[in-house]
Amino acid sequence: MDIAVFLTAAKAYPPPQNPDGTQMRFSYGTAGFRTVGTTLNSTVFRSGALAAVRSRVTGRACGIVITASHNPEFDNGIKLVDCTGGMLPTSWEADAESLANAESDDEMKRVLEKLLALDEPAESLHPPPPPGLDAGNIPYVFLARDTRPTGPELAKAALAGAKAAGATVDDLGLNTTPQGHFAVYASYRGAPNTEEAYYKRLAQGYASLLKEDGDHDDSSPVEPIFVDCANGVGAGKFTKLINAVEETGVSIPIKLHNHEGTPGTLNNQVGADYVQKEQKPPKFGGFDALPSNAKCVSIDGDADRLVYFYTDENKKTTLLDGDKIAALVATHVSGLLKRCGESLLDPVTKKPLDVGVVQTAYANGASTKYIEQVLKMKTKCTPTGVKWLHPAAEAFDVGVYFEANGHGTALFSETAIDRIRTVAENSDGSLPADALRALKSLLALTEAINPAVGDALSGVLVVEAILQAKRWGLRDWNTMYSDLPSKQVKVKVQDRSVITTTDAERRCMTPSGMQQAIDAKVSEFGNDARAFARPSGTEDVVRVYAEAATREGADSLAKEVSKVVYTFAGGTGDAP
C-alpha cells in the first residue's frame, strides 16, 4: 500500500466539524459505525481503506456493507466483513475508530503502518481456506449497500477509500447485508459468490428440506406468508429468491408488503425491530386488514433480522421472536440427530456431535429453560452482538444462535459436515431409511441457512420448511414454551460509557452502587424476575431489560430499574 497516495486522496474527504469548530468524532459500536448518514463520508472513505488493509493482511477478500440496519432512514453506517465472511475481529475495532477519528496525516499514517505490520494470515478461530486455493487479486474488497438515500454517495466514498489503498473493488450495488457477507464467505472457500449463486444455494437447500424432512408430501404449503419488508432492500431480493425456489419445482406462497412502490419510509413503524420492540404489527402495509391468525413475518431494513407474529380474533398480537426461532431450529436439529442414532458418533472416541445454543442476556428466561431442561442441550450466554455470538457458536460442532431481535443462524463445523456427508454417502444400505433421510435433511439445512451471518431471507425458508415437516402452524409453534413477560426501555444519559458491565452484560461494575440498587429492585418482584442495564452499542442511550412473572410486574420493574440508571448514570431529560 502506498500510504502517501492514500493520504492525498483523503484530502477530498475531510472529517465533518462540530458547531464549535472541533472535529466530529465517531465510535465503533456493536456492528460498526452508525450515525446520521450525511456526516459519514470521511469515516466511510477511511473504512474502505481499512477493508483493503485487512484484505492485504489476511491474503483474502474482505467486504463492506453500507447500511444502518434497523435505524431510521436518515441514519447510515458501515459494516465491515472479515475475510471468512464474519465480522471484523474485535482486536481491530479500536484501530478502526482511531483511523476514523485521526485529525492529521501523521495520525492516519501511524494507524495504517501498525495494521500493515501485522502478520496474521487468518484468525486462528476460523478454518483455513481450502488448500491451494488461489487468493486472487489482493487486496480485494466486495462493496454492497442498502436503499438509504445517502447510500450511493457513501458507497462512492468507500470505493474511493479502498481503491486509494490499492484494492480492487467488486461493487455489488444494492444487496442485503447477508448477501454481502455471503459473497466474502463463498470467495474465501472458492465457491461461487455471485448473487445468483446465493439464491440457488438457498432455494436448493429449501427444496431438499421439503423432500427429506418428515412425512409430508412435496406439495407447496397453502397458507400464505405475509412479509413486511420494512421498505428496505430485502423486498426486491425476496422476489428473486422466490423465483429461484420456483425453479426447483416447489413454491413458497410469500406475499410482500412495505416494499418498493408502496407508500412508507424505511423502518418507520415497520420492520422487525419495530414489531419485536413494540410487540404489535407494522403500522403500515395493510396488516390490520389481514385475516385473523394470518402468518406474518417482519424483516428489517438490511434483511438480517426476522420475527414472526400473528393477530387473533381479539386483536391480540403474539410475537415469535428470535428466541422462538432458535428453539424451533434447535428442536429440529435435536430431532434429526436422534433419528441418526449412533451413525454420527466419532469413529474413535464414540462421542456425539457437540451441539449448543448461544444466547444473550436478552433471551427470555423461559427459552433458556426449554433448551436446557426439555431439549437437554447446552446453552452459552455472550454479550450482545453477532461479533460475540457467532464465534461462540463456531466453538460447537453444531451451534445455533438467534438474538431475541431475530438476528441469527445455525452453524455446522467442517468436521460435522464432513462426518454427516461421509456417513450419508457411504451407508450402502446399512442405515435405516429414516436415519438416512435425517442425514440428508441435516445436509440440506446447511445449504438452506446462510452460514456467514443472520439472514432474514434464508431464515424464512428454514422456518417454513421446519413448520411443514412438523405440520405446525404458528399457534403450535408458540406452545413450545410460554415467554415470561418482558419490557425493554431506553434511558438517556450524559455519557453511556460511565456504565461498564460483566457476566455477558448482565451485571454492572460501574457506576459504583448501581448494580446493588438494581438487585434490590429485582428482589421485590419474585423468583422469576430479572433485570439488567447496558450501554447501547449503536445509540447514545442505556438499554434496560426486565422480566417478571406478570406483565404488570415486568413493566413496573423496568420502570424502577430505569429510575436507578437515571440516578446513578447521569440521566438527561425527564426522569422515568
Side-chain angles (χ1 to χ4, degrees):
M1 175 183 178
D2 190 329
I3 294 179
V5 170
F6 170 75
L7 294 177
T8 298
K11 303 294 184 187
Y13 296 90
Q17 303 291 306
N18 292 308
D20 63 1
T22 59
Q23 180 176 307
M24 193 176 293
R25 300 188 67 81
F26 300 89
S27 60
Y28 195 101
T30 302
F33 298 103
R34 192 179 301 178
T35 188
V36 178
T38 53
T39 68
L40 279 171
N41 272 21
S42 68
T43 299
V44 169
F45 174 85
R46 297 178 187 193
S47 294
L50 187 80
V53 170
R54 181 68 185 167
S55 174
R56 186 183 297 276
V57 168
T58 61
R60 297 287 159 185
C62 291
I64 297 169
V65 183
I66 307 297
T67 180
S69 190
H70 57 279
N71 281 37
E73 187 173 84
F74 57 78
D75 280 346
N76 216 324
I78 180 165
K79 294 182 177 181
L80 292 157
V81 185
D82 199 22
C83 64
T84 57
M87 301 182 73
L88 187 72
T90 56
S91 60
W92 277 56
E93 291 182 3
D95 294 310
E97 195 168 296
S98 295
L99 184 61
N101 294 318
E103 298 189 27
S104 67
D105 286 357
D106 285 343
E107 285 185 59
M108 282 194 285
K109 182 180 179 181
R110 282 196 294 271
V111 176
L112 292 171
E113 287 178 338
K114 172 189 174 184
L115 294 175
L116 287 166
L118 294 176
D119 182 18
E120 47 174 344
E123 295 297 311
S124 60
L125 178 65
H126 298 290
L133 180 64
D134 182 11
N137 188 9
I138 297 299
Y140 196 97
V141 175
F142 289 95
L143 172 63
R145 64 177 176 87
D146 70 10
T147 56
R148 295 167 191 274
T150 53
E153 182 179 357
L154 292 179
K156 289 180 181 178
L159 186 149
K163 285 189 171 181
T168 298
V169 180
D170 189 343
D171 190 350
L172 304 175
L174 286 172
N175 259 214
T176 68
T177 291
Q179 287 178 321
H181 279 264
F182 177 82
V184 179
Y185 173 91
S187 173
Y188 183 77
R189 288 155 178 80
N193 56 43
T194 63
E195 187 174 340
E196 289 70 25
Y198 164 86
Y199 298 129
K200 184 177 180 180
R201 174 187 171 121
L202 298 189
Q204 290 183 340
Y206 173 69
S208 296
L209 278 172
L210 293 184
K211 177 182 178 181
E212 301 294 346
D213 270 340
D215 297 320
H216 61 80
D217 58 30
D218 291 334
S219 62
S220 59
V222 296
E223 185 179 11
I225 309 155
F226 300 95
V227 180
D228 158 34
C229 296
N231 296 309
V233 68
K237 307 307 178 182
F238 237 135
T239 299
K240 292 182 179 181
L241 179 59
I242 294 167
N243 292 337
V245 167
E246 291 179 347
E247 289 176 3
T248 69
V250 300
S251 63
I252 183 167
I254 288 177
K255 310 293 183 183
L256 301 180
H257 296 249
N258 294 323
H259 53 81
E260 185 178 4
T262 59
T265 304
L266 178 69
N267 293 329
N268 179 27
Q269 300 183 84
V270 296
D273 188 65
Y274 175 81
V275 172
Q276 192 252 341
K277 294 289 195 309
E278 300 296 327
Q279 299 191 21
K280 59 185 179 183
K283 185 173 182 179
F284 304 107
F287 284 85
D288 57 342
L290 295 178
S292 299
N293 302 308
K295 181 186 287 186
C296 301
V297 184
S298 274
I299 68 176
D300 66 337
D302 66 336
D304 64 358
R305 297 182 179 189
L306 76 156
V307 294
Y308 274 72
F309 65 94
Y310 62 92
T311 302
D312 66 17
E313 299 83 354
N314 299 317
K315 302 301 181 183
K316 178 186 176 183
T317 297
T318 298
L319 175 72
L320 295 102
D321 62 6
D323 291 339
K324 281 280 168 67
I325 296 172
L328 180 70
V329 174
T331 298
H332 193 59
V333 169
S334 175
L336 291 175
L337 291 174
K338 288 179 181 178
R339 288 167 56 192
C340 292
E342 297 183 353
S343 65
L344 292 179
L345 295 180
D346 185 280
V348 177
T349 66
K350 303 302 179 183
K351 291 183 178 179
L353 292 174
D354 189 22
V355 185
V357 178
V358 186
Q359 300 182 313
T360 72
Y362 287 105
N364 195 277
S367 73
T368 307
K369 289 182 179 179
Y370 174 81
I371 293 165
E372 293 178 343
Q373 298 177 11
V374 177
L375 299 183
K376 307 297 183 183
M377 294 175 74
K378 299 176 184 176
T379 62
K380 180 177 178 58
C381 188
T382 73
T384 302
V386 176
K387 66 184 180 183
W388 305 113
L389 288 147
H390 201 90
E394 285 181 314
F396 292 101
D397 289 319
V398 184
V400 177
Y401 75 86
F402 278 87
E403 294 183 271
N405 61 29
H407 192 176
T409 187
L411 303 176
F412 290 75
S413 70
E414 295 297 328
T415 298
I417 293 174
D418 288 345
R419 192 183 302 177
I420 295 167
R421 180 175 288 112
T422 298
V423 175
E425 293 177 352
N426 297 282
S427 63
D428 297 327
S430 59
L431 282 177
D434 187 60
L436 184 58
R437 288 183 66 185
L439 288 164
K440 291 180 178 179
S441 293
L442 286 169
L443 288 175
L445 181 58
T446 68
E447 296 292 317
I449 200 159
N450 189 334
V453 74
D455 185 341
L457 275 63
S458 83
V460 170
L461 296 188
V462 169
V463 168
E464 289 305 315
I466 295 174
L467 291 179
Q468 288 184 66
K470 293 183 174 298
R471 297 182 180 274
W472 279 4
L474 296 193
R475 286 180 178 271
D476 303 303
W477 176 14
N478 194 47
T479 59
M480 294 173 71
Y481 63 84
S482 297
D483 282 319
L484 288 167
S486 64
K487 180 72 173 180
Q488 295 186 48
V489 295
K490 301 176 183 178
V491 181
K492 292 184 178 181
V493 296
Q494 296 175 12
D495 179 9
R496 62 183 173 176
S497 68
V498 301
I499 296 181
T500 57
T501 62
T502 187
D503 188 23
E505 301 181 310
R506 290 177 287 192
R507 298 189 66 79
C508 295
M509 295 188 294
T510 61
S512 178
M514 190 169 88
Q515 185 59 53
Q516 289 80 357
I518 292 175
D519 290 342
K521 293 298 182 182
V522 171
S523 68
E524 299 173 5
F525 287 83
N527 293 333
D528 288 324
R530 70 182 183 95
F532 64 89
R534 55 174 286 272
S536 170
T538 57
E539 301 177 59
D540 290 323
V541 298
V542 175
R543 300 188 186 277
V544 170
Y545 177 90
E547 263 180 26
T550 65
R551 165 55 52 199
E552 294 76 12
D555 292 346
S556 297
L557 179 56
K559 185 173 183 179
E560 292 302 313
V561 174
S562 296
K563 292 178 181 178
V564 170
V565 172
Y566 188 91
T567 300
F568 280 83
T572 61
D574 295 335

